[in-house]
Amino acid sequence: MIILTAIFLILHGLVHFLYFGQSARFWELKPGIKWPDEAWLFAPFFRKKAIRVLACNFCILGGIGFIVSGITVFELHSNWYLLSVGSAIFSIFIYLSFWNGKLEKLNEQGVIAIIIDMIIINSIVFHHWPKLGF
């Protein structure tokens, strides 16, 4: 269970780097995706380039948080859950704040990441699962 949990957290962190590449315009996750250009929270105040830079930095931080939390599981560090829950909360903030405000094409707006983050938080905080024995 330790290996599966660690790998899952690291892979979830790597997905944040995919969104980093999307926001930096290194690639398109899917043709025509405009994420994060129309972010409801930032678009009224910043230009698209500034929004992209902000999204890049947030995605890197979120990805690093999950990768480090996965490494702490491998290292059998007893506070792995604090970093995992904190990273999940930050990840939810990222995708909600860069959402375009429309209820269409939610899969392109990070809704799957939000669902995974909510599962992580629910599992760790409310169900105390997985019990890794350290």
Side-chain angles (χ1 to χ4, degrees), residues 9 12-13 16 58 61-70 80-95 113 117 120-121:
L9 292 170
H12 189 52
H16 286 72
F58 282 6
L61 288 174
I64 289 172
F66 278 113
I67 291 169
V68 171
S69 67
W80 68 274
Y81 60 90
L82 294 173
L83 189 53
S84 299
V85 170
S87 297
I89 291 169
F90 183 65
S91 177
I92 290 171
F93 167 76
I94 292 170
Y95 294 109
D117 293 330
I120 290 170
I121 293 168

Side-chain angles (χ1 to χ4, degrees), residues 51-106:
I51 293 170
R52 288 182 195 150
V53 169
L54 196 57
C56 285
N57 290 320
F58 282 6
C59 287
I60 289 171
L61 288 174
I64 289 172
F66 278 113
I67 291 169
V68 171
S69 67
I71 292 170
T72 60
V73 171
F74 273 129
E75 293 293 321
L76 306 178
H77 195 279
S78 61
N79 289 329
W80 68 274
Y81 60 90
L82 294 173
L83 189 53
S84 299
V85 170
S87 297
I89 291 169
F90 183 65
S91 177
I92 290 171
F93 167 76
I94 292 170
Y95 294 109
L96 286 180
S97 61
F98 289 101
W99 173 48
N100 66 6
K102 299 174 186 169
L103 292 175
E104 54 191 36
K105 298 182 181 179
L106 292 177

Side-chain angles (χ1 to χ4, degrees), residues 9 37 42 45 55 63 68 100 106 108 110 115 129 132:
L9 292 170
D37 293 348
F42 301 112
F45 308 107
V68 171
N100 66 6
L106 292 177
E108 298 174 1
I115 292 168
W129 183 88
L132 300 179

Side-chain angles (χ1 to χ4, degrees), residues 12 19 106-119:
H12 189 52
Y19 274 86
L106 292 177
N107 60 326
E108 298 174 1
Q109 301 290 321
V111 74
I112 295 170
I114 291 172
I115 292 168
I116 291 171
D117 293 330
M118 289 171 42
I119 291 169

Side-chain angles (χ1 to χ4, degrees), residues 80-81 121-132:
W80 68 274
Y81 60 90
I121 293 168
N122 184 41
S123 297
I124 294 171
V125 174
F126 299 111
H127 299 290
H128 308 291
W129 183 88
K131 296 184 188 306
L132 300 179

